[in-house]
Amino acid sequence: MIRAVRNARPLGGHDPVDLVLRDGIIAAIAPAGALDIAAGADVIDADGRFVLPGLWDEHVHMTQWAQSRRRIDVGEAESAAEAAAIVRSALAARTTSDEVVVGAGFRDGLWPDTPTASVLDAVLADRPLVLISADVHAVWLNSAAMVRFGVDSGDGLLREEAAFAVTRALDSASDATIDEWVREAAADAAARGVVGIVDLEMRWNLDDWLRRVASGFDALRVEFGVYPQHLDRAIAQRLRSGLPVAGEVSVGPLKVITDGSLNTRTAYCCDPYPDATEHAYGLLTVPPCDLQPLMARAHAAGFGLAIHAIGDAANRLALDAFARLGHGGRIEHAQLVRRSDLPRFAALGVTASVQPEHAMDDRDVAERYWPGRTHRAFPLRDLIDSGARVILGSDAPVAPLDPWIAISAATARTRDEREPFHGEQAITVAEALASSTRTRVAAGEHADLVLVDTDPLDMDARALRSMPVAHTLMAGRPTFGPAVAAQHNAATA
């Protein structure tokens, strides 16, 4: 199919151009009016809008993100008591009674009180109530939920693998319902210029995505991850990274979680947490003696490697494992990094897959639990200057699936009227865009394109969070814009 985009302006103040898109590829670009557009071609008039490559979110948990959008939001709570009050108010407004009540988004790192089962029992005693932390590394249960999920914990607060087990058990909606929620989330992502995601949902993802494509999912390119507990199954089915499985869905990397998170105080660090009563240095969930052989086995089977490491000790150990392997990959988060480890990313061919909005969420927690070292927290400028490849994502549902939020956080290092959080670690808008895209606006490239109303290179960094997107095209096909809206209206008329 042939499609043309007319009167689009490249970033940086260049003159308008026309683009011809053929079979999902940019076939030609020339000054506006210079190309002979074939009769019958579908034409999009950019009307002087700015064209840039389609955006990627390199780290998403798509099922969790789709579900979290329908859960009680306790993200604004500044105490356990306030979180309980938010849940009480939400339940009072509901007209239906869920078998298990679920909320999400709490951050207890700076709370003056302790989240306990008894606090939630006072809100709801006769049904299970589960609150998932914003970083998804902890869950908070009432007594009924502890019984429901077989939890033997006196305080009702679980971290890391125990928390993950409860979160997985919460996926009680039908496949058809979750798939519809995923379609809605994907449409909303396309409306923000997203053409692709790396889905690192902690489940067997192949069947989910095969089912979704079979039922018509086509809004995004998807690379889905595989976890260690599923590696044998993946190898037996001859999966490997980059293998197309259906539509625009392909196999992504092996994802390994080696430590926790900063807000949960389980990120594995070189220095102890202040006033820690247990796990003084955080939690190392995969020791080096297991990590490197696991990585070697996955690499030999054709899998790329995505290693979760947040604490500086976890990052050091992950880099050590890559060094022994002799092959690069990705470190997911690279949140707290020692100065001496920065040049190792480039030297070892390890990509830093980072989520800049986490710096906005964790800045106060970092000052409290990582004092005196926050100058090397979320060190984006230092990573790029050291030669490392940096790519951006959201870790949705930890942060919204919206690359413009990540781009703003990476370049402004603030989202409100506060001073930038270590502004010396900010990167440029051009660097953030390059870290959020996989293609160029050039002949021969995939026709993954976004048309926006304003040149992001000229915008205030904080204003980028609300960048107006007019059109999104994936492989030359509109996934957001007037044409998509018209199709939807016709289908529902």
Side-chain angles (χ1 to χ4, degrees):
M1 179 178 181
I2 298 177
R3 178 172 280 110
V5 178
R6 280 183 165 159
N7 196 27
R9 286 188 286 175
L11 304 188
H14 299 287
D15 293 333
V17 297
D18 294 341
L19 301 90
V20 173
L21 318 178
R22 181 180 291 111
D23 298 329
I25 302 296
I26 301 175
I29 302 177
L35 290 175
D36 184 16
I37 307 298
D42 183 28
V43 177
I44 294 175
D45 185 358
D47 195 24
R49 292 185 175 92
F50 295 86
V51 60
L52 63 148
L55 302 171
W56 275 73
D57 190 316
E58 295 282 352
H59 189 131
V60 175
H61 302 270
M62 197 60 173
T63 298
Q64 286 296 313
W65 170 237
Q67 291 177 317
S68 72
R69 288 152 45 103
R70 287 163 174 79
R71 290 169 171 166
I72 298 172
D73 183 2
V74 296
E76 297 301 316
E78 296 184 356
S79 67
E82 190 173 338
I86 292 172
V87 174
R88 183 180 292 108
S89 177
L91 290 176
R94 289 190 171 187
T95 58
T96 58
S97 298
D98 295 331
E99 182 181 355
V100 179
V101 176
V102 184
F106 77 87
R107 300 179 183 275
D108 64 324
L110 300 175
W111 283 359
D113 52 358
T114 303
T116 63
S118 61
V119 173
L120 295 183
D121 288 345
V123 176
L124 188 67
D126 61 343
R127 280 181 289 151
L129 170 58
V130 179
L131 301 185
I132 303 170
S133 66
D135 57 24
V136 200
H137 282 257
V139 295
W140 176 16
L141 315 177
N142 71 350
S143 296
M146 292 169 65
V147 173
R148 169 66 175 269
F149 297 106
V151 172
D152 182 17
S153 170
D155 63 5
L157 189 66
L158 304 178
R159 295 179 173 87
E160 301 309 321
E161 183 51 44
F164 298 153
V166 172
T167 301
R168 288 193 293 267
L170 291 174
D171 295 342
S172 57
S174 69
D175 287 343
T177 296
I178 291 178
D179 290 350
E180 178 59 30
W181 294 347
V182 167
R183 278 193 291 271
E184 292 176 8
D188 288 346
R192 301 303 295 143
V194 178
V195 297
I197 61 170
V198 177
D199 179 26
L200 298 176
E201 190 66 55
M202 196 183 301
R203 55 193 281 154
W204 176 249
N205 288 305
L206 174 63
D207 294 344
D208 289 337
W209 285 110
L210 288 176
R211 185 181 65 247
R212 290 164 186 165
V213 171
S215 65
F217 181 95
D218 62 358
L220 302 171
R221 301 185 190 275
V222 177
E223 297 175 1
F224 64 84
V226 173
Y227 278 76
Q229 63 266 34
H230 301 132
L231 182 58
D232 287 343
R233 183 178 182 182
I235 293 174
Q237 295 193 29
R238 297 185 179 181
L239 301 184
R240 63 184 185 279
S241 295
L243 178 71
V245 295
E248 296 294 341
V249 175
S250 61
V251 183
L254 175 77
K255 168 74 180 296
V256 184
I257 300 176
T258 69
D259 74 336
S261 69
L262 184 59
N263 183 74
T264 306
R265 282 83 72 203
T266 49
Y268 189 58
C269 297
C270 297
D271 300 288
Y273 289 96
D275 307 320
T277 57
E278 62 174 341
H279 307 305
Y281 293 86
L283 282 174
L284 184 65
T285 54
V286 181
C289 60
D290 294 333
L291 178 60
Q292 198 276 331
L294 174 62
M295 293 167 60
R297 182 163 180 262
H299 174 64
F303 282 91
L305 303 168
I307 311 301
H308 165 117
I310 288 183
D312 53 357
N315 275 277
R316 180 195 65 205
L317 293 174
L319 290 166
D320 289 347
F322 277 116
R324 289 191 296 271
L325 181 67
H327 191 278
R330 296 163 47 141
I331 287 183
E332 303 299 321
H333 309 303
Q335 182 170 328
L336 313 173
V337 184
R338 299 187 311 170
R339 292 285 191 194
S340 58
D341 283 328
L342 288 167
R344 301 179 70 198
F345 282 82
L348 296 171
V350 175
T351 295
S353 173
V354 303
Q355 298 76 40
E357 183 68 359
H358 291 7
M360 306 299 94
D361 294 326
D362 285 359
R363 60 184 296 175
D364 294 323
V365 171
E367 296 288 1
R368 168 68 178 85
Y369 293 105
W370 223 53
R373 297 180 291 278
T374 55
H375 59 282
R376 50 188 179 93
F378 303 95
L380 306 191
R381 178 77 272 150
D382 286 347
L383 282 164
I384 287 179
D385 288 349
S386 72
R389 178 173 179 252
V390 171
I391 55 178
L392 306 188
S394 65
D395 199 12
V398 183
L401 201 175
D402 185 341
W404 294 107
I405 290 177
I407 291 167
S408 175
T411 54
R413 300 285 291 200
T414 187
R415 63 185 175 199
D416 47 35
E417 299 308 313
R418 301 174 69 181
E419 288 295 313
F421 179 60
H422 290 287
E424 74 277 4
Q425 292 295 344
I427 62 177
T428 68
V429 174
E431 289 168 331
L433 285 170
S435 298
S436 303
T437 55
R438 293 190 175 187
T439 58
R440 299 172 301 135
V441 181
E445 294 275 334
H446 284 295
D448 293 353
L449 302 170
V450 183
L451 295 173
V452 296
D453 291 347
T454 307
D455 188 342
L457 300 180
D458 293 334
M459 291 181 67
D460 176 83
R462 280 178 287 191
L464 288 168
R465 300 175 75 88
S466 56
M467 166 64 78
V469 174
H471 299 265
T472 305
L473 293 87
M474 184 189 74
R477 176 176 54 83
T479 56
F480 172 72
V484 178
Q487 291 174 1
H488 175 76
N489 293 337
T492 56

